[in-house]
Amino acid sequence: MRSVLLPSTRQSSQPLSLEFKLVAFVILVAVCEGASRKWLLPALSGPLLACRDLAALTLVIRAAMLHHYRAMPMISQCLVLWSFCVVMWGALQLVVVQGPLVLYFLGLRFWLLYLWFALAMACSLSTSEVVKIIKLMIALSVLMMPLAVLQHFSAPSSPLNVQPDTDEDEIFRVSADIVRVSGTFTFTMGYACFIAAVAPFAMATVWNGKQLYRRKGLAMLAFFAVSVGTLISGSRASIMFFVALLATQTIGSFVGAKSGKALLFSLAKAVIAVVALSATLFIFSDALLATQERFTNAAAEEDMVGRVETELLGEPAARKDMNFIGHGLGAGTNAGSVLLSGERTFELAESEPARVLLEMGLVGVAWLIIKCAIFSLGLVKSVARLTRVGETLPLMLWATAAYGMSSWPISGQVSANAFGYIVLGLALCSIRPALPARTVVYRYVPEVSR
């Protein structure tokens, strides 16, 4: 009898790391927290959010202790400098503006915690774990589709459409009797952010050479679920972004095709996507008509160019009210508005750029510039990957991150904050250098000589 050295069975099966479990927990709480507040136990919302933030903080600290940030050293060093800038500027605002201390820590949570969480994701998750995170988000979108459809066909007074602290007359609607669905979230914004975050995975099927779907039927189901979810969301921005993302995927597939066979395959995928989208519009024709009515009414009431300008640069009136020091870190958050005024209102401004400018003044201007630089770098790297290996998902992820972090209220609303930075984390994963392999544990196994 002799002994041979074999890899440990537990290690060879690649058990899920703590980092993966923390990210999955954050995603699950972000999706399910609103449901507990609406239909189960409203008092559970606060503890769930606290647990989610604790999980995010744990990932950030663990990545630092295990030196994971060395995987992306330049970005990590820049983030340290940016964090120091935000902390010190917020402290200066405390002295000048004399705001409450709790508002300052609330602002740090929205401005820095999940930004570090996104980088920790990119530096800690293995490729197989990233694929599992993507599959988790796809599964959640498919499971949420029946609920969203029921909400769409239910009256505004239905228990399915209840929203905390909101009267029936104040529930957002696409038309007179058709609500803007909220899914498991407490507000329509959370659902719109979630469905947009999943859209790239419903259109692309490959991540770093790994297939996301074992069967083509699952890919079609995911595309159908996200298409339906986007259509019945009632969000004009989400619908226009979905169409733009689908066009990006189609053009990217043609550009990245390396052979005639790959080009034909890309063309076939585009045809199938158009057929599936047409079938979706036919099945939900009432939602299409209601959405058309919403687009028509909105076009009559506001200028589209002005709307885009507001989404990217903030309201003109807010830009005029901006001052050098700002109103104080955290003053633009939804929770901060309740703390300052006692009401759920937009304390500073409705659009994300205006909130940032009014809240942080000069540092807010710097943040808008930094975001543009981040997205430009990510898009350039993702286009390079598209031309090199033909994968469209990195480009779509960076387009989604740019759209979400520019137009979603990531600096003030908890769901938008979570999904904006989750998408950013996955986008960073798509352009990161190869991570070092994890240590393999060996065990001795006795071998019986024949």
Side-chain angles (χ1 to χ4, degrees):
M1 178 182 294
R2 63 178 180 176
S3 296
V4 296
L5 194 63
L6 295 176
S8 169
T9 304
R10 185 169 181 266
Q11 187 68 24
S12 62
S13 63
Q14 294 183 339
L16 298 176
S17 66
L18 178 59
E19 288 82 359
F20 169 85
K21 295 174 183 177
L22 290 170
V23 175
F25 179 79
V26 169
I27 293 173
L28 289 172
V29 174
V31 171
C32 301
E33 175 268 327
S36 68
R37 187 178 175 194
K38 289 197 294 186
W39 300 310
L40 300 176
L41 187 62
L44 194 60
S45 177
L48 282 176
L49 286 175
C51 290
R52 192 187 88 184
D53 289 351
L54 181 61
L57 182 61
T58 301
L59 180 65
V60 171
I61 295 175
R62 182 174 171 82
M65 294 178 63
L66 298 178
H67 308 292
H68 289 167
Y69 294 119
R70 291 178 180 175
M72 306 182 80
M74 183 62 69
I75 296 178
S76 300
Q77 291 169 11
C78 291
L79 187 48
V80 169
L81 292 176
W82 173 246
S83 301
F84 178 79
C85 177
V86 171
V87 170
M88 296 308 296
W89 191 263
L92 176 63
Q93 288 178 317
L94 273 179
V95 176
V96 176
V97 182
Q98 296 292 311
L101 184 61
V102 65
L103 196 65
Y104 170 73
F105 288 106
L106 188 64
L108 291 179
R109 181 254 184 226
F110 276 95
W111 278 69
L112 295 180
L113 175 58
Y114 282 86
L115 181 55
W116 275 103
F117 174 78
L119 181 59
M121 282 179 60
C123 294
S124 302
L125 297 179
S126 66
T127 299
S128 61
E129 289 173 340
V130 172
V131 171
K132 288 182 173 64
I133 289 294
I134 292 173
K135 290 182 178 180
L136 172 63
M137 295 181 67
I138 293 169
L140 290 172
S141 68
V142 172
L143 292 174
M144 199 182 299
M145 182 185 66
L147 171 62
V149 171
L150 287 174
Q151 289 175 332
H152 172 76
F153 287 109
S154 299
S157 58
S158 169
L160 290 176
N161 290 321
V162 66
Q163 293 180 7
D165 307 320
T166 303
D167 296 331
E168 179 184 337
D169 296 338
E170 297 175 342
I171 294 177
F172 282 16
R173 309 183 190 195
V174 182
S175 62
D177 297 321
I178 299 179
V179 302
R180 289 182 57 180
V181 300
S182 57
T184 58
F185 301 92
T186 56
F187 188 57
T188 57
M189 171 58 68
Y191 180 77
C193 294
F194 170 72
I195 208 70
V198 182
F201 312 127
M203 299 179 190
T205 59
V206 178
W207 172 276
N208 200 20
K210 291 182 177 291
Q211 290 291 332
L212 299 179
Y213 303 93
R214 292 183 179 179
R215 298 179 179 86
K216 294 181 180 179
L218 295 176
M220 289 298 298
L221 177 61
F223 183 80
F224 178 73
V226 174
S227 300
V228 170
T230 303
L231 178 62
I232 65 180
S233 69
S235 169
R236 290 175 295 152
S238 295
I239 293 171
M240 290 188 292
F241 173 73
F242 181 86
V243 173
L245 197 65
L246 186 59
T248 301
Q249 157 67 12
T250 303
I251 296 172
S253 297
F254 293 153
V255 172
K258 300 300 182 183
S259 63
K261 182 178 180 181
L263 187 62
L264 289 175
F265 180 70
S266 299
L267 181 61
K269 282 181 61 179
V271 172
I272 292 173
V274 170
V275 171
L277 193 58
S278 301
T280 301
L281 296 177
F282 177 77
I283 295 172
F284 292 91
S285 56
D286 61 329
L288 177 62
L289 293 174
T291 302
Q292 289 176 336
E293 179 183 345
R294 174 168 166 77
F295 270 81
T296 302
N297 294 337
E301 295 175 359
E302 64 182 8
D303 177 27
M304 181 59 69
V305 176
R307 173 74 176 183
V308 174
E309 180 186 358
T310 297
E311 290 294 331
L312 296 178
L313 301 175
E315 298 89 337
R319 296 200 300 268
K320 292 179 181 179
D321 292 339
M322 187 191 75
N323 57 56
F324 176 80
I325 193 68
H327 289 71
L329 184 63
T333 64
N334 290 3
S337 68
V338 176
L339 183 66
L340 294 173
S341 65
E343 299 179 359
R344 294 182 179 275
T345 60
F346 297 113
E347 181 68 18
L348 296 181
E350 182 176 355
S351 69
E352 174 65 11
R355 284 192 189 195
V356 168
L357 294 173
L358 291 175
E359 183 175 333
M360 292 293 278
L362 181 62
V363 172
V365 175
W367 178 229
L368 295 184
I369 296 173
I370 289 171
K371 284 198 292 186
C372 290
I374 293 172
F375 301 143
S376 299
L377 176 64
L379 288 171
V380 168
K381 285 184 172 291
S382 61
V383 169
R385 183 168 181 80
L386 171 64
T387 55
R388 188 172 69 254
V389 299
E391 288 190 8
T392 59
L393 188 50
L395 176 60
M396 296 167 69
L397 270 173
W398 276 105
T400 305
Y403 160 68
M405 294 191 65
S406 299
S407 60
W408 300 347
I410 60 169
S411 66
Q413 205 269 346
V414 290
S415 296
N417 179 259
F419 289 114
Y421 286 114
I422 287 170
V423 172
L424 178 62
L426 292 171
L428 287 170
C429 286
S430 71
I431 63 169
R432 70 187 180 187
L435 297 182
R438 288 179 182 165
T439 304
V440 179
V441 177
Y442 289 89
R443 60 187 174 89
Y444 285 95
V445 178
E447 180 183 12
V448 178
S449 301
R450 294 182 179 179

